Amino acid sequence: MATEAPSSEAPACPVAFHPLRWEDAADPHAALKAIRQQFPVATIVDSKLPPMKLITRFDLATQVYRDPETFANMGISVNVAEVAAQGPNTTNIIAANGDRHAAMRRLALLAMSPDNVDRYLDPIEDYARELTATLPRGEEFDLMEEWAARIPSIATARILGLPDEDALAFRKWIRMGIEHQAAQMSPSSNRFEWVVPSDQGAKSGGYAGGPMFPDSIDAVGRLVRNRRADPNPPTGDLLDKLLDYRDEQTGITFDDDEVVAQLVTLIAAGNDTTGGHIGNLVYRMLTVPGLWQRLRGDRSLINRAIEESLRLDPPQLMFPRRVTRDTELAGVALKKDEVIIISMASGNRDEAIYGDDVDSFDIDRKYPSPRHLGMGRGVHTCIGAYQARKITRRAIDVLLDAVQEMEIAPGYTYEKVLFHHFRVPQRLPVIIRK
Amino acid sequence: MAGYRIEINRNLCMGAGECVYSAPQAFALDEDEKAIVLDASAATDEQIETAVRGCPNFAIRTYRVEG
């Protein structure tokens, strides 16, 4: 119900926290708890940003996620003007809405549907097993770089029909693009620029903020150009299906550039998230007493550990939404074109859902259904969620087969990557003991 | 009494659980984390329609039945 009071006049939340300030994202939970308990719809301010609303409670986050007509997607940008300038025909599935989003999702499901993902799991497990056998014993190495990040990188490339040799280059390019994005979006960066008009940004999947993944686009574009130049192209393979896709329900079609952009978005979304999830989970396995041996002894518990990791340590901390009409949420007025930020990190520790012991890693805890917000909710639920869970399960199984004892290298303290959206380890130095 | 017959496409179902949230009387997740139909007639038409619209992977198909 709309109210008379413009929401911009709502008092600012007194807790000093802004989810877009990257130093605030490093360890956000004490601030999020204070906000969650006092300000379910908090007005958050920063001198370089327009006021925004922060949603910290599980039930309100669920309500927002499940009402995409009122709370529209805008990618990872929080710049309403720039997103609007890209128009409704964004090539970024994360920013798309309505019929356009549904058509893009059905296109992506040609590759990412669970039955298709299942076909790749055994070969990816074989890759993980070979990779695990190469890990050094008795000396320190970075498990993120040498192992955790590589498995989903190869998996994503194969599932999307891209060559293995490109997969690790994609990972490097995506990381560079994300750090570039972080530098432009976070108000605490001295490289902060509010609006960066960029055709390249739009082409790269509509990530507002500038040239994101030009090398990735070149590499995927080359595959498409080669296919188009092939006098006897294969028919019926994934690339053929993607390029010729016409969405039956809406009649929407996609040109080659749009297919390329969509593939690059899916590669970008599938790399650091899943690699970071695996890293976060292994970090808990090495720091929660008894967890490593318990999982090693009963592999059926790995799925519980995956869900608890996604609850306690969601790789993606938050997602923004644009308010499409004047409305209200929990008694707080919201104006059209206001930005609200859903904090999955906070909703996943909502005491009203999970009880008082929200900060501990407990694979025996009772969950609601769905268990947490770690993969989002509603029609935009992470399209790679199935793939991420299955790949993580296989990877952890392989690691526990090969390694009896592993420890975190002396002196290491958890440090997340720079990007304020993500809380995943930058490095995870470990030593395999036996 | 009119109602819906419901089919779940298990090739598409990713176990998001949105249908269980929309209509807990009608849907559950099985041990494979795939949706199953408990009792289509136990939920209201509106709940079923919300579940169909809310399925992120378009895995629920309904047929109108008279019975």
Side-chain angles (χ1 to χ4, degrees):
Chain A
M1 202 64 65
T3 69
E4 294 298 313
S7 55
S8 57
E9 291 175 13
C13 174
V15 179
F17 174 81
H18 199 293
L20 296 185
R21 276 198 297 263
W22 57 32
E23 62 270 35
D24 285 7
D27 194 5
H29 290 292
L32 286 172
K33 182 174 187 172
I35 296 171
R36 183 167 69 235
Q37 292 181 344
Q38 299 172 68
F39 308 97
V41 181
T43 301
I44 48 171
V45 294
D46 181 279
S47 61
K48 291 183 181 173
L49 297 171
M52 300 174 196
K53 295 292 193 292
L54 180 66
I55 309 299
T56 49
R57 290 189 187 169
F58 187 98
D59 57 345
L60 294 177
T62 299
Q63 186 182 339
V64 169
Y65 268 132
R66 285 172 56 91
D67 184 2
E69 288 171 7
T70 309
F71 305 106
N73 275 56
M74 55 190 304
I76 58 171
S77 172
V78 291
N79 188 331
V80 170
E82 191 176 12
V83 169
Q86 288 168 9
N89 290 336
T90 173
T91 55
N92 177 0
I93 190 170
I94 302 167
N97 289 287
D99 280 354
R100 173 90 180 169
H101 168 257
M104 293 177 83
R105 184 140 182 145
R106 283 187 284 263
L107 172 78
L109 283 170
L110 293 175
M112 302 182 74
S113 64
D115 63 328
N116 195 52
V117 168
D118 283 346
R119 284 193 265 277
Y120 290 88
L121 293 177
D122 286 344
I124 289 164
E125 181 177 325
D126 292 342
Y127 167 81
R129 214 169 278 286
E130 287 166 23
L131 180 67
T132 307
T134 69
L135 297 177
R137 303 246 158 187
E139 62 181 80
E140 180 179 327
F141 69 97
D142 180 7
L143 191 80
M144 286 307 298
E145 178 62 30
E146 303 300 329
W147 187 78
R150 289 172 185 252
I151 297 166
S153 188
I154 292 287
T156 301
R158 289 186 184 176
I159 289 165
L160 295 176
L162 305 166
D164 274 9
E165 54 268 28
D166 284 350
L168 298 177
F170 276 124
R171 193 169 70 76
K172 189 184 73 182
W173 293 330
I174 298 300
R175 170 58 65 83
M176 285 167 59
I178 283 172
E179 287 181 357
H180 174 85
Q181 176 83 352
Q184 289 184 321
M185 282 176 62
S186 179
S188 52
S189 161
N190 55 19
R191 288 189 285 163
F192 177 77
E193 298 165 63
W194 178 231
V195 177
V196 183
S198 167
D199 292 342
Q200 188 65 60
K203 276 290 181 198
S204 69
Y207 284 95
M212 275 290 281
F213 310 124
D215 293 325
S216 317
I217 291 166
D218 286 348
V220 179
R222 190 181 62 237
L223 295 176
V224 171
R225 285 193 303 278
N226 288 347
R227 173 59 60 91
R228 289 300 191 198
D230 188 340
N232 296 301
T235 56
D237 72 350
L238 177 63
L239 187 57
D240 183 47
K241 288 183 196 164
L242 293 173
L243 292 174
D244 284 349
Y245 184 73
R246 179 184 179 279
D247 190 57
E248 201 178 298
Q249 289 86 338
T250 62
I252 290 173
T253 57
F254 302 96
D255 67 22
D256 289 1
D257 285 348
E258 290 173 323
V259 173
V260 169
Q262 175 122 324
L263 286 169
V264 171
T265 304
L266 296 172
I267 295 166
N271 262 272
D272 272 354
T273 47
T274 309
H277 164 52
I278 295 172
N280 281 339
L281 175 52
V282 172
Y283 177 76
R284 293 289 180 181
M285 287 164 62
L286 295 174
T287 53
V288 175
L291 184 58
W292 182 281
Q293 291 307 335
R294 193 173 168 204
L295 296 182
R296 196 158 191 272
D298 183 355
R299 306 303 175 84
S300 72
L301 297 174
I302 296 173
N303 287 343
R304 285 181 155 270
I306 288 171
E307 298 307 323
E308 180 64 350
S309 174
L310 290 169
R311 181 195 72 82
L312 190 66
D313 302 314
Q316 180 102 26
L317 296 170
M318 59 177 159
F319 252 113
R321 290 290 189 272
R322 177 179 63 84
V323 179
T324 62
R325 60 182 174 84
D326 290 359
T327 184
E328 64 88 29
L329 189 64
V332 176
L334 301 174
K335 297 289 282 184
K336 183 177 187 297
D337 284 338
E338 206 171 351
V339 172
I340 64 179
I341 293 180
I342 307 165
S343 173
M344 293 93 91
S346 175
N348 280 358
R349 298 189 188 204
D350 188 339
E351 293 81 358
I353 302 296
Y354 300 102
D356 291 333
D357 186 26
V358 293
D359 295 323
S360 67
F361 190 99
D362 176 9
I363 63 172
D364 301 311
R365 85 171 51 247
K366 290 203 176 2
Y367 296 94
S369 180
R371 294 185 185 85
H372 50 72
L373 308 172
M375 294 292 192
R377 291 288 308 273
V379 295
H380 281 269
T381 298
C382 175
I383 196 171
Y386 182 87
Q387 171 185 332
R389 287 180 160 111
K390 296 294 178 184
I391 298 295
T392 302
R393 168 69 204 251
R394 299 286 182 124
I396 298 297
D397 228 354
V398 163
L399 186 66
L400 290 170
D401 281 345
V403 178
Q404 283 183 53
E405 276 182 40
M406 186 159 77
E407 62 191 45
I408 290 179
Y412 171 76
T413 52
Y414 186 102
E415 186 186 342
K416 71 182 276 302
V417 298
L418 207 51
F419 188 36
H420 46 270
H421 267 255
F422 286 175
R423 190 169 188 280
V424 305
Q426 177 76 36
R427 302 164 53 244
L428 188 55
V430 297
I431 304 167
I432 295 176
R433 289 301 180 194
K434 57 179 174 178
Chain B
M1 185 184 101
Y4 284 114
R5 184 167 65 81
I6 304 171
E7 281 179 7
I8 308 286
N9 183 336
R10 292 176 70 87
N11 290 337
L12 289 173
C13 177
M14 67 191 302
E18 290 295 317
C19 57
V20 182
Y21 188 87
S22 297
Q25 313 92 327
F27 298 96
L29 296 184
D30 67 12
E31 65 273 15
D32 295 326
E33 296 287 310
K34 300 270 187 185
I36 51 171
V37 180
L38 296 177
D39 179 3
S41 66
T44 65
D45 285 2
E46 191 186 353
Q47 281 180 300
I48 303 282
E49 288 153 14
T50 302
V52 172
R53 271 199 315 275
C55 175
N57 274 14
F58 318 102
I60 308 171
R61 182 168 284 188
T62 53
Y63 304 87
R64 200 77 188 160
V65 291
E66 305 293 325

